[in-house]
Amino acid sequence: MFLTETDLRELTGYQIHAYQRRWLKQRGWKFEESATGRPVVLRAYAESRLSDQPVEAAPWSPNLAAMKKVA
């Protein structure tokens, strides 16, 4: 689901997380940051950026069971 440490090194050219984050920010990539400072990039997002194809969203439907009132 996410890029591996190796994937991030190959993508950014950096091993240090701070440099990887800087590289991603400078290029406008979306990512989250783990508790250890590692940038977390969705594999589907990376593939869409590198192939110039939009990411297709999964179909959404509400969880009606979660909305039922508990007595």
Side-chain angles (χ1 to χ4, degrees):
M1 176 180 260
F2 304 109
L3 295 184
T4 65
E5 290 274 351
T6 302
D7 293 333
L8 281 168
R9 276 195 308 270
E10 289 178 5
L11 176 66
T12 65
Y14 295 104
Q15 185 169 346
I16 298 172
H17 296 157
Y19 295 156
Q20 291 173 344
R21 291 191 310 269
R22 184 183 67 192
W23 188 96
L24 293 165
K25 285 178 187 176
Q26 288 175 340
R27 287 157 181 80
W29 280 60
K30 295 178 186 177
F31 68 95
E32 293 293 326
E33 189 175 328
S34 74
T36 61
R38 178 184 184 275
V40 179
V41 180
L42 283 172
R43 180 169 300 282
Y45 176 73
E47 289 173 354
S48 102
R49 286 284 305 242
L50 296 171
S51 67
D52 209 22
Q53 297 294 319
V55 176
E56 291 184 24
W60 180 86
S61 61
N63 182 351
L64 297 176
M67 293 183 199
K68 289 184 180 179
K69 185 175 181 180
V70 178

